Amino acid sequence: MREELAAAIREALEDGAAAAVFLTGEDGTAEPRVARDPSDAAIEKVATGDERYPMAGFVMMLSPLLEGGIAVAGRECDRRMFVELAKHGQVDPDRIRFIGIPCSQELADACGCDHPCPPDSIVACAAGPAQARLVEEATSEDAAERFAFWMDSFSRCIKCMGCRNVCPMCYCKECALDNLELVGPESAPPDIPIFHLIRAVDMADHCVDCGMCEAICPAEIPLRSLYRQAREVVKEAFGYEPGVNPDEKSPIEKLGEVSDLAGMEEGFRTT
Amino acid sequence: MTNETIEDTTEKPAEVADDDVRILAFLCNWCSYAGADLAGVSRMQYPPNVRDIRVMCTGTISPYFVLKAFQEGIDGVLIAGCHIGDCHYGKGNYATAKRFRVLEDLLTSIGVDPRRIRLEWVSAAEGAKFQQVITDFTEQVRQAGRSPLGRKGGGQA
């Protein structure tokens, strides 16, 4: 796959893309690189293993510094990040040329990912969708058990802000987690559960389920399960899934029509 | 509205027993606050556990405010606004209804008792409904008990 990927990156640069963004290195030690010249030796070292990186966040930071098109080699979750960021005006989709890397079956299984194949994958994608799971404790029938599990998980938090900083959807210049009125500044373990629930509320209609937050969390808080639950809430209530349809706006971000409220609760009937 | 308002409002009313529940109500200026006023001038009795915050529209209520109230040790949060179609800003309460649905389901999925949070439409003419809502909701939150969410809390989920 490395040859095809390197060729696709070179081709994009020759076609007039101002820069190409990709990961280099061996499995587990990948780093993001920017190449501006098709003869750049780094292109030959493009990573093809199971390493992951929030490419869209990187490109979002980079794009104001560059002019012209940017070719990005990424996975399906990266592509969804671009779809979602473009909806919010954070990247210009016309500038992005996406080179899709298929995930391996092992990676799809490890991520519990139901979308391992980008639609325009450079080589045939062999991986089948895996079941998106929650951690077992989060699925307990007993609400008190679930609550105790989450409070116990949250209490391990060291407020490193890694989940927010790695998250491609966390592009706000002013973050509610930095608001001293909402989250008290006085303790390193943050106020729980508000610290984690603020993020969960926002992730409900933004999260593309890339799982970088959980991968980076030093306290091993099962954040992916938390945000999957939040995503599920929005999917169930409004049939909306972030990162899928570039033309569909989040139902929570628009006022919408009264028909959007139909069936939500009896009390919402208009008379 | 600032968060200081929420903190000020989480103080226990003097007439509420120490182990009784405390409830925060966000009332929309145009309908529910007027409905509460009507209940008041009509001398309708309802439990004293509720402290209210008047907002111009329920559509201005961020889910963060509700989370903040719980974090401050509030046991139940009521949001009351104009009926759908009656919003004085047109569609403000559409936003409320959708945000509320997400917040309620999210809190439920992590194991918070859904009886702690409620959305009601109370018009300016519905003083009696306001009395009924407060009475019902206070009883409902009492059944859920003191909230375990806040740092000042303690009790059952």
Side-chain angles (χ1 to χ4, degrees), chain A residues 146 181 192 194 202 251 256, chain B residues 64 68 71 91 98 108-109:
Chain A
R146 290 202 304 276
E181 305 286 354
I192 59 168
I194 189 169
D202 285 350
Chain B
Y64 303 162
K68 173 70 174 175
Q71 194 66 42
K91 293 178 173 181
K98 291 191 273 194
T108 307
S109 68

Side-chain angles (χ1 to χ4, degrees), chain A:
Chain A
M1 186 163 72
R2 173 166 282 166
E3 272 174 32
E4 287 93 338
L5 192 51
I9 293 169
R10 276 196 304 269
E11 192 194 326
L13 286 171
E14 280 158 7
D15 272 2
V21 179
F22 51 90
L23 293 179
T24 58
E26 298 305 317
D27 201 5
T29 59
E31 56 179 305
R33 289 292 293 268
V34 183
R36 311 192 65 170
D37 188 330
S39 62
D40 194 321
I43 297 175
E44 306 310 319
K45 292 188 194 138
V46 61
T48 53
D50 285 347
E51 52 286 286
R52 297 169 62 230
Y53 191 86
M55 300 304 276
F58 188 57
V59 172
M60 184 165 53
M61 189 181 72
L62 203 66
S63 58
L65 308 172
L66 294 169
E67 274 179 21
I70 304 173
V72 187
R75 303 176 183 283
E76 170 63 3
C77 48
D78 295 315
R79 196 188 64 82
R80 292 188 177 201
M81 292 173 200
F82 283 111
V83 169
E84 201 55 26
L85 287 172
K87 267 191 235 176
H88 293 91
Q90 300 301 311
V91 295
D92 178 357
D94 296 336
R95 286 180 64 191
I96 305 296
R97 172 168 171 165
F98 193 77
I99 303 167
I101 305 173
C103 292
S104 67
Q105 189 67 56
E106 293 77 46
L107 184 59
D109 290 341
C111 282
C113 174
D114 60 5
H115 45 267
C117 298
D120 40 9
S121 173
I122 50 153
V123 293
C125 178
Q131 185 72 38
R133 301 172 303 267
L134 301 178
V135 287
E136 199 187 330
E137 294 90 335
T139 60
S140 166
E141 289 290 312
D142 182 355
E145 243 172 57
R146 290 202 304 276
F147 185 73
F149 166 72
W150 282 115
M151 287 300 269
D152 183 53
S153 302
F154 295 159
S155 69
R156 295 199 298 270
C157 180
I158 57 169
K159 206 177 181 178
C160 70
M161 297 288 183
C163 50
R164 178 193 71 182
N165 295 347
V166 79
C167 181
M169 299 319 303
C170 275
Y171 53 75
C172 299
K173 298 276 183 279
E174 266 186 54
C175 177
L177 297 180
D178 292 332
N179 184 324
L180 304 183
E181 305 286 354
L182 283 174
V183 182
E186 63 272 6
S187 60
D191 291 344
I192 59 168
I194 189 169
F195 183 87
H196 301 88
L197 292 184
I198 283 178
R199 246 183 82 76
V201 165
D202 285 350
M203 283 302 114
D205 64 335
H206 286 79
C207 178
V208 295
D209 196 25
C210 70
M212 294 308 300
C213 46
E214 184 170 310
I216 208 170
C217 181
E220 297 182 346
I221 301 171
L223 292 169
R224 196 169 194 171
S225 295
L226 180 65
Y227 306 144
R228 272 187 179 156
Q229 285 186 324
R231 278 163 56 88
E232 196 51 42
V233 164
V234 170
K235 200 173 172 183
E236 212 169 89
F238 311 108
Y240 174 77
E241 199 176 347
V244 175
N245 181 353
D247 302 321
E248 190 184 6
K249 278 198 132 185
S250 160
I252 304 168
E253 284 175 6
K254 59 182 183 188
L255 290 168
E257 299 304 323
V258 73
S259 56
D260 299 341
L261 310 177
M264 281 176 56
E265 209 173 281
E266 283 176 26
F268 299 158
R269 282 193 311 263
T270 50
T271 44

